[in-house]
Amino acid sequence: MRPVFPSLALILALASVSPSFGVAPVGNLLVNQGFEIPFSKNQWTYRNGSGGQGIATRSQSWKNAGSWSLKLQPNSTNETIWPPFDYAVIQNLDLKKYRGAPLFYGGWMRAEGGATAYIRVLAADKSGNLTYRELSTTSTQAVYWQDIMDVPDTELTTLMFMCSVKGTAGAAYFDDLVVSAQMGRSIQIGQPDPGPSLSASVTVDTTRVVREIPKTLFGMNLEWVFDGQTIWDPFRGEMNSSLINLGSDLGVAMWRFPGGVFANHYHWQNGIGPQETRPTSVTEPGQGTSLNGFGTDEALQFTALTGASDMMITVNANTGTPEEAAAWVKYVNNGTRYVKYWEVGNEFYLRLANADGSPRVMSPLEYAQVFNTYAAAMKAVDPTIKVGADTEFHYPFRGCARADDGGCWTDAILSKASDQLDFLSVHNGFSPIGLAPLGGGDVGLDVRTIYAGMLAYPVVLTDLMNGLGARADQLAGANASKISIAATEWGPLFDTGSYSRLVDHVKTIGSALYVSSVFNVLLRNPRIQQASAFKMVDTVVFGWLGPRNGVWTPKPAYYAFQLYGRHSLPLLVDTTVGVSSYDSRAVLGVPAVQKVPYLDMISTTNEDRSSVSLLVTNKHFDRSITATIALRGFSSTGATAWTLNGTAVDANSGTDLPQGFVSQAAADPDGRFGQGGPGETWVLSTNPTATGSCVTYEFPPHSVTALVLTGQVDFGDASTTCTSIDRGTQK
């Protein structure tokens, strides 16, 4: 949906200040940026909101430099609809001087007690257009963040800098803030950066196993609607053979059925029995209907035909019943077949619809009770199954999806349903979608900058997944050790509407780089046991297969999945990478991230260590990276490399965008989005020379590579090193 912003008059009323400009320190437009002067003598202005949402004071309990910092303490009334209404202090900036110019902004922040600290810059013009950027942290450790806001070249009425706090308890601290037209940055993200190959130093220690990799991490979503999105061919009365072959080639080990959101109104009995007797069913109230050609038996058949070993089923806990769910378990697990993983509902933290289309709002505590009831009924039929709950442990700027009736959704599940709970399902792996109005929306940034933000998000996702595991350990008590994490929907996602210039960018090389980087996050975290990418096939824009001249055609994201599904070995081993990095801007729904490594890499091996597979993403759009790889406990005798690449970071295979969508943006000045078609993207197989315990390999720009080394165990010098340039570490 489009961003929905408050009126300009309301923004101005909330500011409650008149512009008055003094002399700022050289290079910094802010006055008293370190809060060394009492508020009454400077231009920081309290904004108490309509109900007195908190207290703003100077503090000495933490400061970055000098003697003071700003401390914002929210109270129980600080629950807001849109972020700029959080409790804040404000400083107005010069309206005229910086029109049409980039403003660099940032500062030191920390938070405590569950609060979130925000730095925001907001500009509005006479036409009511609003430009808004933000930085945020929940870290109790002081963090310095910086970003850029491009000030509109229009007649401005408001240009303000805000320190804000989200939450109803705790505190946020700020110090040494800056707004400047002169601040430097590490790279010009939006511009091509041709130049010599970068260097990386890599150590792969095959003697240190991080985890055994469950095959269920290589999952993909299926949907029941529209004959399984054309998997079932009603005219032939059989499966679509091309989609069987494409599904098999992909390397999927687990299929998730029957949604997404379509699971919340799905009654499985409508999808069994003779095809001609199956009814037409509502997909979602108000969204149309579909035949039930692709039901439970077809999904299980498709799973078998594609060589997958597992399936995950999401039961209808919205318009269904516990008895219906239990009967589904009994129907499937009948002695000749077996599904181990079951979910109770899909995205219940969002506002759903009843069968008649009326709104249904479920509180966290209500869902915990529903989950317990469903899980008990299902396990009574088959106690060997694993049942997962839907949770909202989402993007860092959102906090709780809804904090009503029992606190955060995740907290309610962990504290009230951990006895029945086997895994937590999260959908926080989408990027860089803007979740308007909570900091998202297309603000007109160039595509290269947006891609850089998307490729930075896996750094954030790593922290989110670690945080969810820590939350389970904190709240689930003795049950914590048995509760795993399932990323049951993840993938590149830019927007959802035909109005968006970015909606079709899920089909580019840049999105494939994102897929590989998220795979690395999932594989590195031992608590993540299941994952399902979203999704293999779709008739609009979400699918990793798309129609081209009426033929289902793989997109680069498909091939990135395939490299992992086909070339990951069973054991993840310790890998350290030293390489240069970049700082991303806040884009769409992704916060700014510092020190994003250009080379993202994992290493896997097999039980006898006869092979080592390196799965490597070069996120630099323009430069290759020459990596010198030290192999500990292994000596290579040969190699095969499979490399996914294209003519540019926005290169694509030319799948069709449905009529009615607006023209799509390109990664200019050298973008290739509009030239999509055969020959624009490829997977190239080569046999590079790679012998011994020190291997050098050049990874091309914007590429994903599976470099599989064959060889043998070699305990020679356990401290094997190679001469290279150390540019920092990534683990």
Side-chain angles (χ1 to χ4, degrees):
M1 60 181 174
R2 293 182 183 273
V4 179
F5 297 118
S7 69
L8 175 58
L10 187 52
I11 289 290
L12 292 173
L14 286 168
S16 301
V17 294
S18 58
S20 59
F21 304 101
V23 178
V26 175
N28 193 347
L29 305 182
L30 296 176
V31 176
N32 193 23
Q33 75 276 11
F35 305 96
E36 299 302 309
I37 306 171
F39 284 1
S40 60
K41 298 180 181 179
N42 64 73
Q43 294 174 335
W44 287 110
T45 304
Y46 297 97
R47 174 166 68 73
N48 291 324
S50 59
Q53 296 162 265
I55 300 172
T57 59
R58 292 195 305 149
S59 173
Q60 292 183 308
S61 62
W62 170 84
K63 65 266 188 186
N64 179 62
S67 300
W68 299 91
S69 67
L70 170 67
K71 181 179 182 181
L72 298 182
Q73 295 174 272
N75 60 35
S76 60
T77 67
N78 192 43
E79 287 295 333
T80 60
I81 300 173
W82 196 62
F85 294 94
D86 294 331
Y87 184 64
V89 298
I90 297 169
Q91 191 167 141
N92 281 320
L93 306 174
D94 193 319
L95 297 176
K96 297 180 180 179
K97 188 174 181 180
Y98 299 101
R99 281 175 45 184
L103 279 183
F104 301 86
Y105 70 98
W108 288 89
M109 297 185 287
R110 66 177 291 269
E112 64 185 22
T116 304
Y118 287 87
I119 291 174
R120 297 184 169 110
V121 181
L122 184 148
D125 64 19
K126 283 191 172 181
S127 299
N129 298 313
L130 194 63
T131 303
Y132 162 75
R133 309 297 294 161
E134 72 174 27
L135 302 166
S136 68
T137 185
T138 58
S139 174
T140 57
Q141 302 297 315
V143 180
Y144 181 81
W145 289 103
Q146 71 177 47
D147 192 20
I148 312 163
M149 187 177 88
D150 298 308
V151 180
D153 190 13
T154 56
E155 189 171 355
L156 298 177
T157 58
T158 305
L159 181 59
M160 65 174 69
F161 181 94
M162 309 168 67
C163 296
S164 305
V165 60
K166 182 176 178 62
T168 57
Y173 296 84
F174 306 84
D175 202 5
D176 296 325
L177 305 169
V178 64
V179 177
S180 173
Q182 304 172 23
M183 187 187 304
R185 54 178 170 171
S186 59
I187 60 167
Q188 296 288 330
I189 294 174
Q191 298 299 319
D193 184 23
S197 173
L198 300 176
S199 298
S201 58
V202 178
T203 300
V204 177
D205 191 344
T206 65
T207 68
R208 296 184 61 187
V209 175
V210 176
R211 71 176 299 190
E212 184 175 347
I213 298 173
K215 295 296 290 183
T216 46
L217 289 179
F218 305 104
M220 184 68 74
N221 274 266
L222 295 174
E223 293 174 332
W224 75 269
V225 298
F226 313 126
D227 294 315
Q229 301 284 13
T230 76
I231 291 175
W232 176 259
D233 186 339
F235 301 103
R236 295 177 179 270
E238 60 186 23
M239 298 283 184
N240 185 322
S241 60
S242 66
L243 290 177
I244 291 174
N245 292 334
L246 287 165
S248 178
D249 291 344
L250 187 54
V252 174
M254 182 179 73
W255 295 98
R256 177 178 180 251
F257 176 81
V261 295
F262 299 122
N264 291 329
H265 293 270
Y266 182 68
H267 298 285
W268 67 271
Q269 298 95 331
N270 293 335
I272 61 173
Q275 292 274 341
E276 62 272 13
T277 65
R278 298 183 189 180
T280 297
S281 300
V282 172
T283 58
E284 291 182 275
Q287 301 298 315
T289 60
S290 174
L291 293 172
N292 277 279
F294 192 76
T296 302
D297 296 315
E298 287 77 17
L300 288 164
Q301 182 185 3
F302 185 78
T303 298
L305 290 172
T306 55
S309 56
D310 288 282
M311 190 169 160
M312 177 181 288
I313 292 178
T314 308
V315 302
N316 177 4
N318 182 36
T319 60
T321 66
E323 293 75 19
E324 180 184 22
W328 201 357
V329 174
K330 184 176 181 180
Y331 179 80
V332 172
N333 293 358
N334 61 8
T336 61
R337 56 193 186 185
Y338 178 71
V339 168
K340 183 176 184 179
Y341 303 105
W342 298 76
E343 290 177 295
V344 177
N346 181 84
E347 296 181 358
F348 268 43
Y349 44 83
L350 302 178
R351 285 163 172 79
L352 306 176
N354 292 307
D356 61 1
S358 61
R360 181 179 187 187
V361 179
M362 184 179 289
S363 74
L365 287 181
E366 287 174 327
Y367 176 71
Q369 182 177 359
V370 167
F371 173 82
N372 281 331
T373 303
Y374 271 72
M378 295 159 67
K379 289 183 176 183
V381 172
D382 186 345
T384 69
I385 64 173
K386 301 294 184 182
V387 183
D390 208 26
T391 182
E392 96 312 347
F393 208 84
H394 266 19
Y395 300 85
F397 55 80
R398 294 191 71 188
C400 300
R402 292 208 317 277
D404 55 342
D405 190 11
C408 290
W409 197 275
T410 302
D411 292 4
I413 297 302
L414 288 169
S415 60
K416 302 296 183 183
S418 65
D419 287 348
Q420 296 284 358
L421 183 64
D422 296 301
F423 61 91
L424 290 162
S425 290
V426 285
H427 296 172
N428 58 8
F430 288 113
S431 176
I433 188 170
L435 298 175
L438 299 176
D442 181 2
V443 294
L445 295 173
D446 64 275
V447 172
R448 290 172 66 98
T449 298
I450 293 170
Y451 276 25
M454 171 178 66
L455 297 179
Y457 181 70
V459 176
V460 180
L461 182 61
T462 297
D463 292 338
L464 284 176
M465 290 299 197
N466 289 338
L468 179 55
R471 202 72 179 149
D473 290 337
Q474 180 182 358
L475 296 176
N479 294 317
S481 61
K482 75 179 180 70
I483 299 173
S484 64
I485 297 173
T488 52
E489 291 185 20
W490 67 271
L493 184 57
F494 290 79
D495 216 326
T496 58
S498 60
Y499 54 80
S500 172
R501 68 189 177 105
L502 301 168
V503 66
D504 202 26
H505 277 255
V506 296
K507 70 182 183 184
T508 68
I509 285 288
S511 285
L513 303 184
Y514 177 73
V515 167
S516 62
S517 196
V518 171
F519 256 129
N520 291 349
V521 175
L522 302 176
L523 291 168
R524 288 185 186 117
N525 189 327
R527 195 152 200 163
I528 303 174
Q529 292 288 317
Q530 304 89 20
S532 301
F534 193 82
K535 53 189 172 174
M536 187 184 81
V537 60
D538 180 66
T539 54
V540 190
V541 297
F542 294 104
W544 295 10
L545 298 172
R548 186 177 70 197
N549 300 323
V551 177
W552 287 113
T553 302
K555 301 175 183 179
Y558 171 98
Y559 289 117
F561 187 110
Q562 186 182 66
L563 289 180
Y564 280 76
R566 290 297 179 194
H567 301 299
S568 294
L569 298 173
L571 303 176
L572 183 75
V573 295
D574 185 74
T575 303
T576 303
V577 179
V579 70
S580 55
S581 61
Y582 70 94
D583 297 339
S584 71
R585 295 183 57 173
V587 298
L588 302 183
V590 182
V593 180
Q594 293 179 313
K595 299 184 185 304
V596 182
Y598 279 117
L599 200 70
D600 189 4
M601 176 177 175
I602 63 162
S603 306
T604 62
T605 189
N606 48 14
E607 292 287 350
D608 62 2
R609 260 189 286 163
S610 59
S611 295
V612 173
S613 179
L614 314 178
L615 293 144
V616 187
T617 307
N618 180 356
K619 297 184 181 182
H620 203 294
F621 300 159
D622 310 299
R623 295 194 193 187
S624 61
I625 299 177
T626 300
T628 306
I629 305 165
L631 301 166
R632 294 184 178 174
F634 180 84
S635 181
S636 175
T637 57
T640 304
W642 290 267
T643 300
L644 168 62
N645 210 335
T647 55
V649 73
D650 62 346
N652 60 84
S653 53
T655 54
D656 302 327
L657 186 65
Q659 290 186 350
F661 284 70
V662 302
S663 297
Q664 298 293 287
D668 292 329
D670 56 355
R672 299 283 298 177
F673 188 90
Q675 284 71 48
E680 286 289 310
T681 65
W682 56 83
V683 177
L684 181 65
S685 176
T686 60
N687 294 107
T689 301
T691 58
S693 297
C694 188
V695 172
T696 300
Y697 191 85
E698 183 175 356
F699 298 97
H702 53 70
S703 65
V704 182
T705 302
L707 178 61
V708 180
L709 308 174
T710 55
Q712 67 228 355
V713 174
D714 182 359
F715 288 106
D717 183 359
S719 61
T720 298
T721 58
C722 302
T723 302
S724 187
I725 300 173
D726 187 356
R727 300 180 180 271
T729 60
Q730 167 214 311
K731 282 267 275 207

